[in-house]
Amino acid sequence: MRVARTLTEDETVLETAPYPVAGPGEVVCRVLACATCGSDVQSFYVRRKLPAVLGHEPAGEVVEVGAGVGGVAVGDRVAIHHHAPCGECRRCRRGHETLCERFRSTRLDPGGFAEYVRIQPELVGELLPLDGMDPVLATFTEPLACALRAQRRAGVAAGDAVLVVGAGCSGLLHIAAAHATGVEAVWVREPQPERLERAERWGATAHGNEPVDVAIVCTPRPEAIVAAAEALAPGGALCVYAPPPPGSPLGIDANAVFMRELEVTASWSAGPADMRAAHALLARGAVRPLEIVTHRFPLEQTGAALAAQRSGEALKAVVLP
């Protein structure tokens, strides 16, 4: 089969790799679509993985089922998650399932930027049926799930006022997720006029000086994190959603955190419950993110897809093997 292997941050090549075979409890899927993610092009984050076949937001069609697999059959179209927690360890019990050792050890083989992927037994139970959903739409299951988990960790609830800082793909999904939760208002801060206009079309309002219950920062810029913390009402929660580079100081006023009882949290990836919740929102049309897909590429142009994501030319790029 063909795979797009990323050798360095600026070089992705098309290679031939062995066709994956489904062992006991495993499934092989033909990749129908796989979206790019900001983490695929974030230097400090992706560099440690290379060389690798990237892509962790795929939708596919089951083409082979291993012995002992139930609940899924050849021909099923599914949204695919890339990790699975054990659900039993201390981290899982405390709500940090994405820090679970099994979560970090499970993965797609080889990755979504390939013609086929092998799904490990731990992941087979997390396959979500598309039931007629557009595979490109289904690629939003994972990033929307990440937004839902972050908002859950930050305590977003109906009636809250939420500030979203940054209106790229993640910011827009946070705006949609907050509205789906039934918040009172979603404010947005975004310096690019085109992105700000899109965010307002998605139901956000350019932020004034009103204090908010939750601020979600979708950029690693230190000054944005500080400004978001300053926008919180007493008892508010700050969620650092975009990972700053290693060694970055947080920079917020510790005295304000104490005196105003602010909560500071972060959220990485998504668990099974978040995937199911995101899938349900997409399936019933409560979140309609297809306009975020600004670029589509064939597998042999995966390097161009990643370059478009890195430069900001693409709001969201999708590879269609």
Side-chain angles (χ1 to χ4, degrees), residues 151 156-162 175-186 281 284:
Q151 294 192 14
V156 173
D160 281 351
V162 176
I175 292 167
H179 280 302
T181 301
V183 300
E184 179 179 288
V186 182
L281 288 176
R284 70 171 187 262

Side-chain angles (χ1 to χ4, degrees), residues 151 159-167 170-172 174-176 178-179 183-190 195-196 199-200 202-218 228 231-233:
Q151 294 192 14
D160 281 351
V162 176
L163 169 64
V164 176
V165 181
S170 292
L172 292 172
H174 272 290
I175 292 167
H179 280 302
V183 300
E184 179 179 288
V186 182
W187 303 94
V188 64
R189 289 180 179 174
E190 168 55 57
R195 292 192 172 192
L196 178 60
E200 291 176 326
W202 278 52
T205 303
H207 185 54
N209 296 317
E210 298 82 357
V212 297
D213 302 295
V214 178
I216 300 168
V217 191
C218 300
L232 290 171

Side-chain angles (χ1 to χ4, degrees), residues 135-163:
V136 174
L137 176 61
T139 65
F140 282 95
T141 305
E142 195 269 355
L144 179 58
C146 293
L148 291 175
R149 180 176 188 268
Q151 294 192 14
R152 174 167 55 83
R153 284 184 50 74
V156 173
D160 281 351
V162 176
L163 169 64

